[in-house]
Amino acid sequence: MTIVGARPQFVKAKPVSDALAAAGLPELLVHTGQHYDDAMSGAIFRDLGLREADLDLGVGSGSHGAQTAAMLAGLEEVILDRRPAAVVVFGDTNSTVAGALAAAKLHVPVAHVEAGLRSHNRRMPEELNRIATDHLSDACLAPTASAMEDLAREGLDARSHLVGDVMVDMLRAVDLEGVAVPEWSGEPFVLATIHRAENTDDPDRLRSILEALAGMPLPVRLLAHPRLPAVAERLGLTALLEGGSLELHEPVPYSVMLALVTRSAAVVTDSGGLQKEAFLLGATCTTVRDETEWPETFEGDANRLATPWAVDDFSAVVLRGRSPVAGEPFGDGRAGARCVEVVERLLA
Ligand code: UD1
């Protein structure tokens, strides 16, 4: 049983789903319903070629406690009913921790794809979800050597496996030349996404980020997660969502996002996945956070942590150059198959 719920998990689930099929292991794909808008879920499934979920719990949005509790109750019922031999969870969302906890309490072996990543910022919900999930899991499937080190520091080395990053598998499978991109990508632009609670929910931080983007010397195309306009309205900051260089756009499917990264002058984001995608596709990334779970992306100045309130010239940081990077810190594109090998060992 594989459990997904939020947009980045669909990307991670596809290579594992393909590898399960290749190994002849039947998969029950369960969607918690954490993301439900077509742009956040259905469109991403179709773009990835991920088959429709077998079950959708339809949990939807809510406070952390209410949302996670609804998932926990729903997933427990499914596990009791379907009796999976193992459960696989992905990444760091509320759907991840709910799936791991529901399964572990019912003594079903749990494998966590993307284990061991740490920001060391315990104020982030994702950090708490990752720590809890890793400690609940029977197999911690780590994408990087630094994730393996963090798992070892927490005493989890005996159940940790370095498999590589499943997002590399997915990225390599996309034919970037064949992707239809928006018309606006023909001229130089900065590609931006901002959705983390630590940035959106703090009015001072959000104001500072939006003003910095509006002041960039190139058009900034901000592909907005629905959370952003919702929070901006609540905080009375809607007027800052457009103006100057800043333009708001709808979220785009995965393959379009990759194609836009390759065409962009630079990327500004607080997403974990996009930092890596920029790194792998040769784009320069600025991460609007104080820490990252992906320190490998710093190589060649491909990624830099910078917030508009802490640097003198944010535009200059964003539009700096980067060097090409040798090596494969995120693996060789065969992580999905390795994840499934570990799952097979759990089943045995
Ligand atoms: C979640 C993950 C985050 C991940 C992100 C990717 C947690 C704690 N966080 O954050 O790690 O980076 O997904 O996108 O699980 N909303 C909609 N439509 C949707 C989904 C959400 O309008 O389909 C809006 C709602 O206002 C909702 C808000 O977005 O309250 C936040 O959604 P939620 O699922 O709580 O967290 P994300 O911000 O998406």
Side-chain angles (χ1 to χ4, degrees):
M1 174 171 159
T2 47
I3 300 173
V4 296
R7 181 172 55 175
Q9 293 171 321
F10 312 144
V11 181
K12 294 163 198 170
K14 169 70 173 154
V16 174
S17 182
D18 286 349
L20 285 169
L25 287 173
E27 175 192 15
L28 180 75
L29 176 60
V30 180
H31 193 321
T32 62
Q34 177 170 353
H35 286 175
Y36 44 87
D37 285 349
D38 191 63
M40 298 296 288
S41 182
I44 312 290
F45 268 65
R46 293 191 293 278
D47 180 67
L48 293 167
L50 184 59
R51 68 191 176 82
E52 227 177 282
D54 299 299
L55 294 170
D56 189 331
L57 304 181
V59 163
S61 302
S63 69
H64 283 277
Q67 187 186 52
T68 311
M71 291 171 182
L72 196 52
L75 290 167
E76 181 179 66
E77 216 171 285
V78 175
I79 293 169
L80 285 170
D81 183 37
R82 301 296 190 101
R83 294 275 161 200
V87 161
V88 182
V89 295
F90 304 87
D92 61 7
T93 74
N94 291 343
S95 299
T96 314
V97 73
L101 185 54
K105 287 212 167 163
L106 293 170
H107 311 151
V108 178
V110 181
H112 180 207
V113 176
E114 219 181 59
L117 300 176
R118 297 289 181 268
S119 65
H120 304 287
N121 176 358
R122 288 174 63 91
R123 291 182 58 82
M124 291 176 62
E126 292 85 1
E127 179 78 352
L128 302 175
N129 288 343
R130 281 189 195 279
I131 294 170
T133 303
D134 284 340
H135 286 259
L136 288 165
S137 294
D138 299 277
C140 294
L141 305 172
T144 59
S146 61
M148 288 294 281
E149 285 165 20
D150 272 314
L151 288 165
R153 260 193 288 277
E154 293 175 27
L156 299 176
D157 30 345
R159 48 179 127 141
S160 300
H161 309 263
L162 180 59
V163 294
D165 191 334
V166 288
M167 289 184 73
V168 176
D169 303 25
M170 202 53 240
L171 184 138
R172 290 197 185 169
V174 175
D175 166 24
L176 285 172
E177 297 306 312
V179 177
V181 290
E183 222 169 85
W184 51 254
S185 63
E187 54 166 352
F189 64 97
V190 172
L191 185 65
T193 77
I194 294 292
H195 77 278
R196 296 269 182 181
E198 64 193 290
N199 284 328
T200 59
D201 294 10
D202 177 330
D204 294 335
R205 283 179 85 111
L206 185 58
R207 172 186 292 279
S208 171
I209 293 166
L210 294 174
E211 285 175 350
L213 294 177
M216 295 281 302
L218 284 181
V220 178
R221 320 290 189 191
L222 175 58
L223 309 187
H225 182 300
R227 172 190 201 107
L228 181 64
V231 176
E233 192 179 345
R234 180 157 49 78
L235 299 176
L237 297 177
T238 303
L240 293 180
L241 289 177
E242 276 193 84
S245 297
L246 184 57
E247 260 178 43
L248 214 61
H249 293 268
E250 292 285 308
V252 295
Y254 173 73
S255 64
V256 182
M257 193 64 174
L258 294 187
L260 288 174
V261 170
T262 62
R263 286 166 169 76
S264 68
V267 173
V268 178
T269 191
D270 57 8
S271 148
L274 195 51
Q275 290 172 51
K276 264 181 308 173
E277 285 153 0
F279 176 89
L280 295 165
L281 294 169
T284 308
C285 182
T286 298
T287 298
V288 189
R289 286 179 51 192
D290 300 319
E291 65 282 308
T292 179
E293 300 80 9
W294 304 102
E296 296 80 5
T297 57
F298 293 149
E299 221 185 311
D301 208 12
N303 186 22
R304 224 193 262 186
L305 298 176
T307 53
W309 51 92
V311 296
D312 286 338
D313 188 345
F314 188 69
S315 295
V317 172
V318 170
L319 297 173
R320 74 190 185 279
R322 66 166 276 190
S323 315
V325 178
E328 293 181 323
F330 300 110
D332 59 5
R334 292 199 297 269
R338 285 194 204 94
C339 290
V340 169
E341 280 167 28
V342 177
V343 170
E344 285 182 305
R345 269 183 263 158
L346 279 184
L347 298 178

